[in-house]
Amino acid sequence: GAVFTYRLKDGLKTLKQKRTEAEAAAEKAGQPITYPTPEQLQAEAAEEAPAILLTISDASGTPVRVMTGPVEKGLQRVAWDLRQPAHELPPNRPRGELEELFGDPLVGPFVVPGKYSVALSQRVGGVLSSLGSPVTFNVVLDPQVSHTPADLAARWQFAQKLQTLRRDIAGSLQLATSMSSRLDAILQALDATPAAPRPLHEHARAIK
């Protein structure tokens, strides 16, 4: 893949981290520590975590991948596997053995060889700002591979069609699952509502 190296002069910190550091400094200096207001605590709880973003674009300037990197101070590295994003988001839990064996691999297709660029930016408080200028690099083909440029172009076009189809199928399955859960909740709500007309019960079960 491609390994990107960057250095942050100062790390990106949340509102809570800034407050606790200020409290620690005040305590060390023997100064009084003021308890945060409810508004401050609410702002800390609702804050989106700061992020470092690496946006990879092709030769035409079209973004092909956005990756996140460490936000801590110092030298950091992020590796790109030369792939587009997967057709769906990874689950919030580790994938089981059966999912790994029989489920779709959560990786996107490889990009075609050519010139690419990566731009570094930070998102703090929901505001995106650039860090430095984009850097260009080349993605080259393994010398042992005998594919022609026409073969690579045809494979890339097929991969884009396949990704679109996989996204549509994954979205349909997620919609069906969420709709089933909503219908279960509707049936429970109807059972908990004694005055609910009987046709509503029948209609909800017919939909399910």
Side-chain angles (χ1 to χ4, degrees):
V3 179
F4 309 123
T5 305
Y6 62 92
R7 187 180 73 88
L8 296 180
K9 183 179 180 181
D10 298 303
L12 306 183
K13 300 176 182 178
T14 63
L15 294 175
K16 183 176 181 179
Q17 289 174 325
K18 293 178 181 178
R19 174 176 61 82
T20 54
E21 289 181 359
E23 291 174 351
E27 182 180 12
K28 186 176 181 179
Q31 299 176 350
I33 300 176
T34 57
Y35 193 79
T37 64
E39 291 75 17
Q40 288 176 316
L41 294 176
Q42 186 177 11
E44 291 178 2
E47 181 188 21
E48 180 183 12
I52 289 292
L53 304 178
L54 297 96
T55 303
I56 302 161
S57 305
D58 60 17
S60 66
T62 302
V64 296
R65 187 78 178 267
V66 177
M67 304 178 64
T68 57
V71 299
E72 290 79 17
K73 176 182 178 179
L75 197 67
Q76 307 293 351
R77 282 179 175 165
V78 175
W80 176 40
D81 58 3
L82 306 182
R83 292 181 181 269
Q84 276 193 315
H87 62 282
E88 63 177 321
L89 293 174
N92 293 326
R93 53 169 178 76
R95 302 186 83 195
E97 293 182 3
L98 290 179
E99 289 177 302
E100 291 291 345
L101 284 174
F102 302 107
D104 286 334
L106 294 180
V107 295
F110 282 110
V111 299
V112 294
K115 181 173 288 186
Y116 291 83
S117 65
V118 59
L120 192 68
S121 59
Q122 68 177 23
R123 186 172 58 210
V124 179
V127 179
L128 190 68
S129 55
S130 299
L131 299 175
S133 302
V135 176
T136 59
F137 60 98
N138 293 319
V139 173
V140 298
L141 194 64
D142 188 333
Q144 299 181 3
V145 177
S146 60
H147 294 309
T148 65
D151 293 336
L152 293 173
R155 181 174 181 175
W156 176 253
Q157 292 175 2
F158 172 78
Q160 298 310 298
K161 293 180 180 179
L162 178 61
Q163 283 297 91
T164 300
L165 177 61
R166 297 174 78 185
R167 289 192 185 98
D168 290 344
I169 292 175
S172 299
L173 292 174
Q174 292 174 4
L175 179 60
T177 301
S178 63
M179 184 62 69
S180 180
S181 300
R182 290 184 61 188
L183 284 169
D184 289 340
I186 289 173
L187 292 174
Q188 292 179 8
L190 289 171
D191 289 340
T193 308
R198 183 53 50 187
L200 288 180
H201 289 261
E202 298 171 354
H203 187 54
R205 282 174 170 77
I207 294 175
K208 186 170 177 62

